[in-house]
Amino acid sequence: MKAKFSFRLPEIILVVLLLFSAITLGFSAGGFLVNFKEIGFSIVSTVQKGVHNFADGVSGAISNVHDLFTMKKEYDELKEKLADYEYLQRNNVDIRKENELLREQLDFATSIDYKNIAAQIVGRGPDSMYSIITVDKGVSDGIKKGMPVIAIQDGNVGVVGRVVTVGMGTSQIMPIYDDKCNISARIETTRDLGIVSGGGGIDKPLSMSYISKRLIGDIQYGDVVVTSGENGNYMRDIPIGTFTKIEILDYDSSLDLELTPILDFNRLETVLIVDPSQGNDRMPFEEEVKETAAPLTTPILESDVEVNTDDQILP
């Protein structure tokens, strides 16, 4: 059963009068007008603030994305520049190292008494256990069969071998570690004479024969063996190697001696081929540059001299 609500006329009139009075009072005091404005301003300002914040957020996001792409581009450019810089640095180091090696070789080449020709190693013979070294100089450069070959490495001068085959533009060298190579040599400290022979491989030691047992107390590990200069094969006192084994054999009157070459043949790149029959006409590098660069202070012209009938030059 539903409840019925009914309003009597006096009550309705009372409510209407109260509302009318309240509205009239509000307008007369200006309260409703101000409140409406404040409410409208609050609503509008809130909406504007929201729109502004949203726009700022979108603008900031777009700006951040743009900055991110810019930074990525700059990063890639810097990364590429760094790679180029590292490449240039490596090249500079290699160039400086190569220049130092060339300068060291040039200084040594001008200091020895014989004519010498610098050559680059261009090949090694795998069919003979790397016992043949090929260089880029030949007959056209003045190379002859039998010429001794030396090199300087890390400040140390050492014997490489000798020329065995000569072509027009290349030559082949038999290195000292070849088992067919035999060199007349002396112990640098005692000056005793013996023969140094190759072991047959680039990583095998050399051996020295015909050194008497009586020298067992006179030689030590690390002593240097040099060329004797005899037989005309090599110049005198060029280092060959150092002792790494000194033993006595009961059945032999000679010591069992092994040597490690002065030069590291695995790192060898350039050599000097020497012609002992000719003197060295090279001048030191500084003097060569000075002479090349020095201008003539008083040039002589053809008009400054006169030739008479007696073939004498008169001023």
Side-chain angles (χ1 to χ4, degrees):
M1 180 177 179
K2 295 182 180 179
K4 294 183 179 179
F5 295 96
S6 61
F7 295 96
R8 290 175 293 180
L9 180 61
E11 294 174 350
I12 295 173
I13 294 173
L14 178 61
V15 171
V16 171
L17 289 175
L18 287 174
L19 289 174
F20 178 77
S21 298
I23 292 171
T24 303
L25 181 63
F27 276 105
S28 64
F32 284 135
L33 181 62
V34 174
N35 289 338
F36 288 153
K37 288 183 178 180
E38 289 180 356
I39 292 171
F41 176 75
S42 298
I43 294 173
V44 172
S45 62
T46 302
V47 173
Q48 288 178 340
K49 183 177 180 181
V51 172
H52 178 72
N53 290 338
F54 177 76
D56 283 348
V58 173
S59 176
I62 295 174
S63 177
N64 289 337
V65 171
H66 179 267
D67 291 344
L68 183 62
F69 277 108
T70 302
M71 291 176 62
K72 179 65 168 59
K73 183 179 179 181
E74 292 177 352
Y75 171 78
D76 291 338
E77 291 176 353
L78 289 174
K79 188 176 179 181
E80 185 176 354
K81 289 180 179 178
L82 179 61
D84 292 340
Y85 175 76
E86 291 176 347
Y87 175 75
L88 290 174
Q89 283 292 97
R90 288 194 297 269
N91 280 354
N92 288 337
V93 171
D94 292 340
I95 290 172
R96 284 197 296 269
K97 184 177 180 180
E98 184 177 356
N99 286 341
E100 290 174 0
L101 292 174
L102 291 174
R103 181 57 181 270
E104 181 183 48
Q105 180 175 291
L106 179 60
D107 290 341
F108 173 68
T110 59
S111 66
I112 60 179
D113 297 331
Y114 306 106
K115 178 181 178 181
N116 56 86
I117 302 164
Q120 189 84 17
I121 295 177
V122 295
R124 303 172 193 259
D127 294 336
S128 53
M129 299 179 64
Y130 294 93
S131 61
I132 291 295
I133 298 174
T134 304
V135 294
D136 62 349
K137 293 294 187 294
V139 174
S140 59
D141 304 288
I143 307 300
K144 299 177 183 178
K145 184 178 179 180
M147 283 185 173
V149 184
I150 60 177
I152 181 168
Q153 186 181 71
D154 300 330
N156 298 317
V157 180
V159 177
V160 176
R162 63 186 181 90
V163 177
V164 291
T165 306
V166 184
M168 186 57 64
T170 59
S171 300
Q172 290 185 330
I173 299 167
M174 177 191 291
I176 57 175
Y177 55 79
D178 189 286
D179 57 5
K180 296 184 290 295
C181 183
N182 297 289
I183 303 174
S184 176
R186 291 185 183 275
I187 301 174
E188 190 175 45
T189 53
T190 67
R191 306 307 295 177
D192 284 273
L193 184 66
I195 299 294
V196 172
S197 304
I202 193 171
D203 295 320
K204 294 184 178 180
L206 311 175
S207 61
M208 189 171 189
S209 307
Y210 308 114
I211 299 298
S212 175
K213 289 181 178 180
R214 62 179 176 80
L215 294 175
I216 187 65
D218 298 330
I219 57 178
Q220 300 177 358
Y221 291 101
D223 283 352
V224 179
V225 176
V226 298
T227 54
S228 67
E230 298 180 3
N231 302 325
N233 291 328
Y234 294 92
M235 300 81 68
R236 183 185 178 92
D237 290 332
I238 303 297
I240 300 173
T242 56
F243 286 126
T244 53
K245 177 183 177 182
I246 303 174
E247 291 186 0
I248 296 178
L249 299 176
D250 295 335
Y251 57 84
D252 198 337
S253 60
S254 299
L255 292 173
D256 182 18
L257 303 173
E258 289 186 354
L259 300 84
T260 295
I262 291 289
L263 300 174
D264 183 353
F265 283 86
N266 286 310
R267 296 191 299 114
L268 196 61
E269 298 180 37
T270 58
V271 299
L272 290 174
I273 303 173
V274 182
D275 185 355
S277 65
Q278 298 187 45
N280 190 357
D281 55 357
R282 290 184 180 179
M283 62 180 65
F285 180 74
E286 291 81 0
E287 295 182 10
E288 184 176 352
V289 171
K290 187 185 298 182
E291 181 169 312
T292 303
L296 292 173
T297 55
T298 55
I300 300 176
L301 304 177
E302 292 183 1
S303 58
D304 293 333
V305 296
E306 180 181 347
V307 181
N308 65 2
T309 55
D310 296 329
D311 293 334
Q312 294 179 342
I313 300 178
L314 299 178

